[in-house]
Amino acid sequence: MSGVKMPPIKLIVGLGNIGKPYVGTRHNVGFQFTNEVLAKFGGFFEPNKRFFGETATTHISGDAILVLQPSTLMNLSGRAVSAAISFYKYKPEEILVVHDELDLSPGSIKYKIGGGCAGHNGLKSISSLIGTQNFQRLRIGIGHPRDKQLQTPVADYVLSRPSPDDRILISQAVAKGIEFLPLIAEGKTEDALQKINS
């Protein structure tokens, strides 16, 4: 990844499902992250029908950044993202998508540029509707049920709430992502890759 350079971000998208049954579930850590972004950097979510979700404007390193939580349910997240980037003429490279990651253990967080969707339906929807996978991502580990010797179907696992211990680990990963978010916001790609992924 040496020499990789991405532009400063203009849009942060937290993936999740709206509604009380989904609050605090593993699949909603993208929402958890974007809520924490506003808690740290300022801003308030408001309904935005044009972008099929809730949006807020925050300021990181002096620059205004749009924060979006789609209200389309996870599998249709691309509708919200494509609407926002079409309206503002954002480039895909200027988007940071924050999502849960089965392939990472709770407490882990990785910064990734482009690549496949690893079966994540929210990422699949975004990629298909904006026509590329070349956007920035923060992958927040939630663990895999098989790694925990659980027979729970993956679809049920991601829609369930983590154990108290895992919840603490996930919150620590979110906090790490928030700490180094200014590096991504400023386009300091190599620093972000090194510090977040170490």
Side-chain angles (χ1 to χ4, degrees):
M1 275 294 185
S2 179
V4 171
K5 177 68 176 173
M6 296 296 278
I9 53 172
K10 295 182 178 177
L11 171 65
I12 300 172
V13 183
L15 296 187
N17 291 303
I18 62 165
K20 285 187 178 180
Y22 301 110
V23 173
T25 61
R26 293 177 173 91
H27 223 20
N28 270 37
V29 295
F31 280 8
Q32 179 182 344
F33 185 92
T34 41
N35 288 337
E36 292 294 331
V37 167
L38 298 192
K40 180 174 177 65
F41 298 104
F44 299 93
F45 280 116
E46 295 182 351
N48 190 321
K49 290 183 179 179
R50 180 193 296 271
F51 300 154
F52 307 101
E54 294 188 333
T55 59
T57 299
T58 195
H59 289 81
I60 304 175
S61 302
D63 292 323
I65 295 176
L66 184 69
V67 185
L68 169 65
Q69 290 185 347
S71 58
T72 55
L73 293 181
M74 180 69 78
N75 296 3
L76 299 173
S77 299
R79 290 182 65 197
V81 177
S82 62
I85 68 171
S86 295
F87 182 81
Y88 286 113
K89 303 296 188 285
Y90 294 152
K91 298 174 183 176
E93 296 83 2
E94 296 171 326
I95 306 169
L96 177 69
V97 178
V98 187
H99 63 93
D100 58 300
E101 179 57 69
L102 283 162
D103 293 334
L104 295 176
S105 60
S108 298
I109 184 169
K110 297 292 183 183
Y111 173 47
K112 182 181 179 183
I113 297 165
C117 298
H120 194 291
N121 289 327
L123 296 178
K124 285 182 183 177
S125 176
I126 293 169
S127 297
S128 66
L129 285 179
I130 70 172
T132 181
Q133 297 179 344
N134 193 34
F135 49 89
Q136 303 180 59
R137 306 128 188 238
L138 271 180
R139 307 159 63 217
I140 301 174
I142 60 169
H144 196 288
R146 302 302 169 262
D147 295 336
K148 299 172 180 291
Q149 284 73 53
L150 298 174
Q151 297 307 310
T152 310
V154 168
D156 294 337
Y157 175 81
V158 298
L159 293 176
S160 64
R161 291 173 177 80
S163 67
D165 287 346
D166 280 0
R167 189 179 305 120
I168 291 171
L169 291 171
I170 290 169
S171 293
Q172 289 172 346
V174 168
K176 181 179 178 181
I178 297 288
E179 177 185 356
F180 293 116
L181 184 59
L183 294 176
I184 302 174
E186 295 168 21
K188 296 179 179 177
T189 312
E190 290 201 41
D191 285 349
L193 286 166
Q194 181 180 3
K195 291 183 177 180
I196 296 172
N197 295 350
S198 62

